[in-house]
Each structure stands twice: as structure tokens, then as C-alpha cells.
Amino acid sequence: MTDTRRSLALGLALCAALPFTAAGADAPGIDLAGIDRSVAPGDDFFAFANGAWYKATAIPEDRAAFGASAIVYDRTSQRTVELIQDAAKAEAPKGSVERKVGDYYTSFMDETGIEALGLSPVRAKLDAIAAIADVKGLSRYLGTTLRADVDALNATNFYTDNLLGLWIAQDLDQPTRYVPFLMQGGLDMPERTYYVDDSAPMAETRAKFQAHVVKILELGQIADAAAKGARVFELERKIAEVHGSREDSADVKKSNNHRTREALASAAPGLDWTEFLAAAGLGEQKEFVVWHPTAVTGIAALVASQPLETWKDYLTFHALEHHSAVMPAAFGQESFDFHATTLQGTPKRRERWKRAVDATGNALGEAVGQMYVRKYFPPADKARIEAMVRNLISAFDRRVDRLDWMAPATRAKAKAKLKTLQVHVGYPDRFRDYSALEIVKGDAYGNDERAELFEYRRNLAKLGKPIDRGEWVMTPQTVNAVNLPVMNAMNFPAAILQPPYFDPARPLAMDYGAIGAVIGHEISHSFDDQGALFDETGKLDNWWTEADFKHFQEAADRLVKQYDAYEPLPGVKVKGKQTLSENVADVAGLSAAYDGYRMSLGGKPAPSAQGLTGDQQFFVSFAQSWRQKMREALLRQVIVGDSHAPDEFRADIVRNLDPWYAAFDVKPGQKLYLAPADRIRVW
Ligand SMILES: [Zn+2]
């Protein structure tokens, strides 16, 4: 994957990432100067809490969005690069993780060396593509491109530029074993909408995309690039036409399609599955889960029906772009120009060292993470967060007890799930073993390729082994948090557990409003419409009754309507259904965080601070944690494809909590006012 798309993942996949100001990062507490007191909280709570900051802030040239997550991200990058550079200088013993980290980074930074190598690192791959003589050979080559680069339920990454993607995870029917999930892929642009939507901006984007393909082919010194570019575009459009939608991808019940090897091949003729699977190292695998059955069938058919030469041009284009971050500068620049500037509106590329830190963190995530937590995550922080998590869990447990709409048997199930829930804080108990990954100083391209392959083989090796519920899907230095629904576990990496998300130096109300709401958000995912699909062992077995589901659906439908009404751009509305699960988690998470905060007071009155009551601190801290300014192109991309609503509207979820009305004297007639009966209470 290119570095530009990596930074996109950081900006967008945030299950619940949060933001503060530069000022807020320096002085603990609420950023009072960022508040816009000319806005009534009841009219626009995001603008009230953030308006002055918003007006005073410009998005840096090298970003598509800016907010506190970016500030914390930058601080973490700075710390991480120092660790990495120290490792590079230290000349640690060969084979040690410090040495691998140092060598990976040094090689990535060696622009002169990379330039001098020219196209030679990618030559073997281009030759292999040129040598493809038939569908059998094509299938074999495609099999070698399969990587563990998608994730349907944890990191929820449905994108791969390879024709198919693989995710190895707990079998949803037999949770004691791992199974390989096959997912759709093969598009260079982020999502099928970009290829099939006939609006004018999308048509314009497609014209620019075709020019991008031509440019990459030209940089690869491929003859007749213009004609080939047109055919590659046409092939991608055909692939997009058979792709499932973003909503299909998120529908677990539609996607849990177990297929024997024979059934897979007979349902999806065209691709030579024997060759493909053997080349992918899955020659012995008997059973698969086909996440996107229609797409897999459609793609397999295209393998046979489209001209072999077009496929070879398509693969040449993808081979040239896939590792563009570690190719001569013109490749990376072109990839950035299209993927970041055209698609997201980012004018300027981030400095190389920042990209090198990301790339190193991607390749050797837990090696870097090990170094990071040793220096920046003291045991006292871990203990403090763990205490907060216990409070949140017990807040949730009490909310479950109080639910009158849920059948007693369902409540018992929910409580069982709370008991087996594993909340991992900071870093994994056991770090990954990188001894099988060879890092060669001076071979940035090879290192990138071997790191992907290492990750793929590490995943393949899980097949046949017992489930490791302690495995992390995020690195400790990631500014984010995640719920792993099938493992009934959560990761709160060390990097998100720092000021201003969490700060021992400020009143607890502010911590509960910020990181507490994130923890509550993640816990609630275990019990929402998606969480209800998995029982306490991770089995896909809906533990809600019909009546429970009906009540939830009623509340959910109202929340869909609440979000459908938001209009971030003229004529462009938030998609209430696409963002429903995250919006439910936001309202539930904030509610549980509020309870946890009240519990933490132990019956005493809340201390006021900075001229704000305890409840005001809680809600303003929450809304400031969603502080974010976004370029229009990225905003469009978020609305089209992200499962989260734009941050501004996530802040406005406060309108569903009764205490918010009292804290800010919100009255009927104000824009965010909801009559008590219209406020959504799922939990
Ligand atoms: Zn979430």
C-alpha cells in the first residue's frame, strides 16, 4: 500500500479518535480560548465548544484534516522517530529488533540510494507479469499477490489494491479455530462508488484517475501507456461493477459464507483456483469463508473473460504503484498527487522522515511499540486507566440491570459477555517475534516487500493453531482504540492514553468526557447490533430476542433519522444508516462515561474548575475531543465511505443525554433541542 493511503487509514479508520488544541496539549484542562461564546450551546454544541479554535486554525498544507488527533499523532511520531533514530545510530547486534528497526528506517530515508536503483527492484515482478502466457499463469501470479491486508471486523479495513484480500480470524461458527476469509479487492481508488457514481465530481475524478494510470505506466517506461491506461481503467471499472457496496461489506450475516475449496471453485469459475491457492500458500486449506461472494464470482469470471494483455497491463500498473513509497521519487509524488491531493484535497506531502516513521511502524509495529512503551508509558498510567476501565464496565453492568426493554435472558447473556470481556491497555503481554523477517540495509523496496510477506505468513501460520485472545491488532504507538468483536476484547494503545485525551493533572470529569467516552464507545460495540451477533465465546449467534431487536430497531431508526438530517455540504447529507453502529456507540459510550464519572465522585458534589461545573467540564471536554477541521474533498470521502459520521456531528450526540440540557440550559426551539421522548436511549 502506498504511504498516502496509509495516512488516510490513520485519518479515517479511527474508531474513536479524539482531538484537542495545541494550547490544550500544553496546559491541562479545557481550552477556554477555543470556545465561541457567541454560539448558544443548544444551537450548535460543536461550534460552541470549538468555534474560536476553528476560526483561528488553518489546516496544514500537508494534511487533509487537522485537529487534536493530528497533534497527538505528531507528538507520538516525534517520540517514535527519536527512538528509531537512536536505534539506527546504536548499531545494535545484528538480528535484534533495534537493529531491524534502525536498518528499515535508514533504508527508507536513503533517497539517493533508492533513486540510483531506479526500476531495478521492481524488475523481477515486471518480468514475471510479462511472462504470463495464459489464465493458469495469470491465476498463479495473482495468488502470489495475496496478502493479509484486510480485516472485516476488527480494524474494519475493506480495501486492498490486490485483486483479493485475505483475513485470518476466528471462525464465526466454530470460535475455537481460525479460518481464512476471502475479500474483494483490486481497485486503485478507495471504493466502487468512485467508478460507478455518475455525478459530475466523480466523473471528473475518473478522468484524473485515468491520467494517473497513464503517468505511472510512463514512469515505469512502459510503451503505449495512453492506450494501456484506458484499458486498465476500463478493467477496474468492470471490477468495481461486481464489487459489493460498503453496506454489504459491513453485513456479517450476508458475508459469513463458508465454502469448501471445491464449492469455492465451482461457484466462481474463470480464475484457476488450484493455481491461485497453491501460489498463495493455501494449497492445503480445505475451507474458506467468502466475505463477498458476488464480487469473488464476478472477479473470477473477469479473469477469464478479459483479454490477457489487459490483465498484464493492469498488474504492471499495480506492481509499479504498490511500493511507490520506496521507489524513485517520481512514483511516490505521482501516487501522492492522485491519492492525497485529488482524492482528499491535501496539497503538500508530509516530510519524508514522518513517512519513514509510519512505514517502519507498519513493517515492525510491535518492535517499535516495545521501544515506545519502555520509555513513554509508565506503569502508573496503565494502572490508572485500568481503574477507569473497571469503573466503565461496572457502569455498563448497572445500565444493563436497569434496562426494562431487554428480556431477562438477554440481560444475563449481556452480563456474561461483560464478564469475559478482555480490555487490553497500553501494549500486549507478549510482543511479536520478528526473527523470521529479514531487513537488509540499503534495500528499502525489498524490506517493504518482505515485511508484507512476513505479515502474511505470520497470519497463515495461525491456521490450525488455538485462538490467541491476547493478540493485538493495533500497535502501542497508534493513536486510536479498537473493539475486537469476535475475540470479545479491546485494545487501548499507549499512544492514545496521553494528554489531552487522558491527563492525570486535570479533573476526572474531563478525562471521563474524553477518554472515558472512547472507552464507553468501545465497550458498547460488544453489546450493540453488531455485538449482539456474537456471544461471549465469539460465536456468530444472535443472543437478542425478537422483541429486544425490535426495540433496538425503533431506537436505531430514530437515530438514523437524526443523522440523515445533518447536511455538512449543500445537498450532501450524512448517511444515517451507514454510520448507525458508530452513532449508537457514541450515545451509549457517552452515557456510560457520564455514569462512570458520577460514580467516581463517590456521592460528593463535583468540583468546579475553570469556571465550569463538573457536568459542563464533562461535556465540553467531550466536544473538544472531537475538534477537527477537514478539507472538503476528504469530507466527501468520509461521507461516502466511512462508518463514522463527520466529527462535528459526533460531538452533537450530547443532545441525547438529559444532563446536557440542564448543564447548558438548553430550551425548546434551539436547533439541537430534542423533546425528552425523542432523545435516543439504547442502553
Ligand atoms: Zn466504533
Side-chain angles (χ1 to χ4, degrees):
M1 202 181 276
T2 65
D3 63 304
T4 53
R5 270 172 281 180
R6 247 174 229 150
S7 63
L8 165 69
L10 279 162
L12 291 186
L14 298 183
C15 197
L18 2 150
F20 244 65
T21 51
D26 296 329
I30 299 294
D31 172 25
L32 294 175
I35 294 177
D36 182 351
R37 294 190 188 273
S38 72
V39 177
D43 278 335
D44 186 340
F45 196 60
F46 177 86
F48 165 76
N50 299 298
W53 171 85
Y54 198 91
K55 278 177 213 144
T57 301
I59 302 171
E61 290 278 285
D62 61 348
R63 288 187 191 276
F66 188 72
S69 59
I71 291 163
V72 171
Y73 171 81
D74 281 348
R75 187 196 306 139
T76 306
S77 290
Q78 188 60 50
R79 289 171 166 181
T80 311
V81 75
E82 281 163 16
L83 291 168
I84 291 172
Q85 284 168 343
D86 288 350
K89 272 184 237 138
E91 286 281 323
K94 219 169 183 320
S96 66
V97 291
E98 287 81 4
R99 178 66 174 264
K100 286 180 187 189
V101 164
D103 284 352
Y104 192 98
Y105 178 81
T106 308
S107 308
F108 191 103
M109 288 301 288
D110 179 13
E111 291 177 84
T112 319
I114 289 171
E115 213 61 42
L117 287 171
L119 291 171
S120 63
V122 73
R123 187 61 65 197
K125 208 179 270 177
L126 298 182
D127 289 347
I129 295 166
I132 295 171
D134 49 25
V135 167
K136 209 170 168 165
L138 173 59
S139 303
R140 198 180 312 131
Y141 179 86
L142 288 169
T144 67
T145 66
L146 197 65
R147 291 292 177 271
D149 54 4
V150 286
D151 176 336
L153 292 165
N154 297 326
T156 48
N157 171 22
F158 297 108
Y159 178 85
T160 171
D161 55 338
N162 295 320
L163 195 59
L164 296 173
L166 191 75
W167 179 50
I168 294 188
Q170 246 173 293
D171 188 330
L172 308 183
D173 293 347
Q174 291 179 51
T176 52
R177 65 170 194 176
Y178 285 108
V179 75
F181 295 76
L182 271 179
M183 294 170 62
Q184 68 188 16
L187 302 178
D188 191 62
M189 289 198 280
E191 215 260 339
R192 78 185 292 274
T193 314
Y194 285 80
Y195 296 83
V196 301
D197 181 317
D198 50 17
S199 70
M202 285 298 190
E204 198 184 309
T205 299
R206 282 194 286 279
K208 287 182 180 158
F209 170 58
Q210 197 166 319
H212 165 64
V213 179
V214 172
K215 184 77 190 288
I216 290 284
L217 290 172
E218 281 170 357
L219 290 172
Q221 295 164 12
I222 304 299
D224 205 11
K228 286 176 181 170
R231 291 196 291 267
V232 169
F233 168 75
E234 208 33 54
L235 177 55
E236 289 214 5
R237 203 183 50 76
K238 290 194 167 91
I239 295 170
E241 275 172 353
V242 301
H243 261 220
S245 68
R246 184 66 179 69
E247 279 173 15
D248 287 340
S249 292
D251 190 336
V252 181
K253 280 176 278 184
K254 260 192 202 168
S255 309
N256 184 34
N257 306 295
H258 284 72
R259 299 274 186 271
T260 62
R261 188 192 172 85
E262 294 71 29
L264 165 66
S266 68
L271 179 75
D272 185 327
W273 287 96
T274 304
E275 293 291 334
F276 178 88
L277 293 173
L282 288 162
E284 304 300 315
Q285 183 62 30
K286 303 268 186 289
E287 198 176 342
F288 297 85
V289 172
V290 182
W291 198 260
H292 297 107
T294 315
V296 167
T297 298
I299 287 170
L302 290 171
V303 168
S305 70
Q306 298 308 297
L308 195 63
E309 286 310 313
T310 302
W311 275 109
K312 289 163 74 168
D313 296 335
Y314 163 89
L315 290 170
T316 300
F317 161 65
H318 279 270
L320 285 167
E321 190 171 29
H322 189 81
H323 295 288
S324 60
V326 284
M327 298 261 289
F331 283 93
Q333 189 61 47
E334 171 56 29
S335 187
F336 174 85
D337 288 347
F338 181 69
H339 289 282
T341 307
T342 302
L343 294 185
Q344 295 174 16
T346 312
K348 205 176 121 218
R349 221 169 165 201
R350 286 180 311 143
E351 293 150 272
R352 189 166 187 96
W353 71 262
K354 287 187 186 168
R355 290 182 266 135
V357 169
D358 279 358
T360 310
N362 250 321
L364 290 145
E366 289 193 5
V368 176
Q370 228 168 304
M371 293 154 59
Y372 182 89
V373 299
R374 217 183 287 145
K375 185 150 183 188
Y376 293 110
F377 193 62
D381 281 16
K382 186 169 161 111
R384 198 180 154 95
I385 294 283
E386 280 172 344
M388 197 162 179
V389 167
R390 282 193 295 275
N391 233 349
L392 265 290
I393 288 179
S394 94
F396 228 94
D397 197 57
R398 291 186 196 182
R399 290 188 85 87
V400 171
D401 280 334
R402 286 202 305 263
L403 285 179
D404 48 3
W405 57 270
M406 201 176 237
T410 318
R411 267 192 268 174
K413 276 281 197 185
K415 288 170 83 80
K417 217 178 159 181
L418 262 181
K419 276 210 177 65
T420 60
L421 178 69
Q422 294 195 358
V423 179
H424 301 134
V425 171
Y427 49 89
D429 291 340
R430 261 177 306 106
F431 286 110
R432 244 162 238 178
D433 174 9
Y434 288 97
S435 48
L437 173 56
E438 194 196 358
I439 299 300
V440 179
K441 203 169 175 174
D443 184 14
Y445 184 100
N447 292 340
D448 201 26
E449 205 168 42
R450 282 187 294 274
E452 278 189 356
L453 199 55
F454 168 81
E455 178 60 8
Y456 182 62
R457 289 181 178 147
R458 187 184 72 78
N459 275 283
L460 286 188
K462 291 184 202 167
L463 294 168
K465 300 233 174 71
I467 302 297
D468 174 12
R469 283 186 71 212
E471 187 188 358
W472 276 54
V473 306
M474 274 181 181
T475 66
Q477 67 277 20
T478 303
V479 183
N480 209 337
V482 69
N483 182 306
L484 316 175
V486 186
M487 291 203 274
N488 195 21
M490 280 166 209
N491 298 167
F492 291 97
I496 201 173
L497 305 172
Q498 55 169 318
Y501 305 147
F502 161 76
D503 188 351
R506 69 184 182 186
L508 268 175
M510 300 179 196
D511 275 359
Y512 274 94
I515 195 70
V518 179
I519 296 170
H521 172 112
E522 297 303 341
I523 292 175
S524 88
H525 274 317
S526 299
F527 306 94
D528 64 15
D529 60 327
Q530 292 294 304
L533 299 174
F534 302 99
D535 70 11
E536 75 276 11
T537 67
K539 190 167 184 238
L540 184 60
D541 178 21
N542 200 327
W543 46 273
W544 285 11
T545 65
E546 278 297 316
D548 297 326
F549 192 75
K550 203 164 158 273
H551 175 95
F552 175 80
Q553 206 59 48
E554 278 163 18
D557 285 346
R558 289 188 291 134
L559 198 56
V560 168
K561 286 198 191 88
Q562 195 177 105
Y563 274 76
D564 275 342
Y566 292 133
E567 191 172 344
L569 294 166
V572 182
K573 291 197 169 169
V574 174
K575 295 182 178 175
K577 189 154 182 267
Q578 178 178 299
T579 58
L580 175 63
S581 282
E582 295 303 331
N583 298 334
V584 168
D586 280 346
V587 72
L590 188 65
S591 304
Y594 183 81
D595 290 358
Y597 148 61
R598 299 303 306 186
M599 278 161 60
S600 77
L601 295 171
K604 297 195 194 82
S608 59
Q610 297 179 275
L612 301 172
T613 67
D615 279 17
Q616 287 172 340
Q617 294 163 43
F618 175 86
F619 287 111
V620 174
S621 178
F622 172 74
Q624 290 195 339
S625 80
W626 287 112
R627 175 169 288 185
Q628 175 90 279
K629 203 164 172 170
M630 211 178 266
R631 292 185 195 278
E632 189 180 315
L634 178 62
L635 182 57
R636 281 184 194 279
Q637 192 173 323
V638 168
I639 295 166
V640 164
D642 205 277
S643 56
H644 307 87
D647 302 42
E648 172 183 351
F649 305 107
R650 298 186 69 174
D652 289 340
I653 199 88
V654 294
R655 67 199 291 209
N656 295 292
L657 272 72
D658 296 338
W660 175 72
Y661 287 80
F664 296 95
D665 194 26
V666 178
K667 292 273 185 290
Q670 293 189 304
K671 291 195 187 96
L672 291 176
Y673 179 86
L674 293 170
D678 294 332
R679 297 172 198 163
I680 313 294
R681 289 178 200 81
V682 181
W683 294 101

